[in-house]
Amino acid sequence: MSGIFYGIGVGPGDPELLTVKAINIMKEVDIIIAPKTEKKDGSVALSIARPYLKKDIEIVYQVFPMVVKFEESTAAWETNKNEILALLKAGKKIAFLTLGDPMFYSTYIYVYRLLEHEGFPIETIPGIPAFCAIGSKLGYPLVEGNDILSVIPATADPEKIKQVMAVTDNVVLMKVYKNFSSIVDTLVENEMIDNAVMLSRCGLPDEVRISDLVAEKDKKVNYLSTILARRK
């Protein structure tokens, strides 16, 4: 019997924002794969999904290096791939959990690429990205009319970020934890700071909202932080 691999987006943090399809699949699978980094013991994605898991579900933790290009750390990725393949060959139904949406800046994308030509069925279940949840939570329209929205990873080349922000109407800035201060400066330069807001750990118990980004620009920012901004 052949196994099946599911990639499930668990959304930004609130367990009630999971889709009905995601919940139904998680109740049926044999194994949950919970991704984590080397520096953290737990899995945020797993904590979000846990209310819907079977009591006897098998949970497999896999460590994924935080690198820009996964090809640069092939050993860890191959180890995880082989572990997944062994479970699939044993006929297991596996759900890989990921924050937000599986096809949006997700570790799952790399896992999917490693498995897509291995002959096993794969189904990807979409989830709500953090910036969509933040917009709804704060009553902050992401785009209106003919607005152009740019989604920018703050870890990108600073000059490239400035070029995009110079021509776009609205921005979503993700991964702002590494260079928050310089991102705030760029928002000021592009006259977006007055309409900028940041939410950290959206939907989780320790969620934090920062509206005055300039006053907080030297603050250490949580990894799960997203900025929404638009021009005056």
Side-chain angles (χ1 to χ4, degrees):
M1 181 177 65
S2 176
I4 182 169
F5 187 77
Y6 297 97
I8 296 181
V10 299
D14 183 350
E16 292 186 348
L17 291 181
L18 269 78
T19 64
V20 174
K21 187 168 188 176
I23 293 170
N24 288 339
I25 289 174
M26 288 191 298
K27 289 179 178 179
E28 295 298 324
V29 297
D30 305 304
I31 296 170
I32 294 289
I33 294 184
K36 54 181 288 188
T37 66
E38 299 99 324
K39 298 179 181 179
K40 296 183 179 180
D41 293 330
S43 167
V44 178
L46 177 62
S47 67
I48 295 169
R50 196 173 284 281
Y52 307 108
L53 302 182
K54 296 181 294 187
K55 291 183 179 181
D56 60 343
I57 189 71
E58 181 181 351
I59 297 173
V60 175
Y61 291 93
Q62 289 192 336
V63 175
F64 292 91
M66 300 294 286
V67 294
V68 177
K69 296 181 180 180
F70 78 95
E71 308 95 271
E72 296 174 359
S73 187
T74 55
W77 290 93
E78 283 298 319
T79 297
N80 292 337
K81 172 188 173 182
N82 291 334
E83 183 176 29
I84 293 171
L85 286 176
L87 295 170
L88 289 171
K89 290 174 183 176
K92 301 295 184 180
K93 296 178 181 177
I94 303 170
F96 183 98
L97 306 182
T98 186
L99 291 171
D101 182 84
M103 291 297 184
F104 193 86
Y105 291 131
S106 168
T107 298
Y108 170 77
I109 295 171
Y110 308 121
V111 177
Y112 175 84
R113 286 174 176 164
L114 289 170
L115 297 176
E116 64 177 327
H117 300 300
E118 293 294 334
F120 292 96
I122 299 175
E123 186 173 349
T124 304
I125 313 303
I128 298 175
F131 68 89
C132 291
I134 293 171
S136 296
K137 190 179 190 74
L138 302 182
Y140 189 113
L142 296 171
V143 281
E144 300 175 68
N146 293 322
D147 286 350
I148 295 174
L149 174 68
S150 297
V151 180
I152 303 173
T155 50
D157 178 79
E159 285 305 313
K160 191 173 183 179
I161 293 175
K162 290 180 180 180
Q163 290 171 10
V164 173
M165 289 180 65
V167 297
T168 194
D169 299 306
N170 303 346
V171 293
V172 169
L173 287 152
M174 307 183 71
K175 307 178 184 181
V176 298
Y177 63 100
K178 282 190 176 181
N179 51 357
F180 178 53
S181 180
S182 65
I183 289 297
V184 172
D185 290 339
T186 305
L187 287 168
V188 171
E189 293 169 10
N190 286 275
E191 298 185 343
M192 290 184 172
I193 196 67
D194 291 340
N195 293 312
V197 62
M198 181 174 74
L199 207 67
S200 299
R201 299 180 67 80
C202 177
L204 294 168
D206 53 349
E207 173 185 292
V208 175
R209 173 181 178 175
I210 297 178
S211 298
D212 189 345
L213 273 62
V214 173
E216 303 285 343
K217 67 175 289 186
D218 295 322
K219 181 178 181 179
K220 184 177 180 181
V221 175
N222 185 269
Y223 173 74
L224 298 176
S225 297
T226 300
I227 295 173
L228 306 184
R230 58 175 174 252
R231 296 194 189 284
K232 290 184 179 179

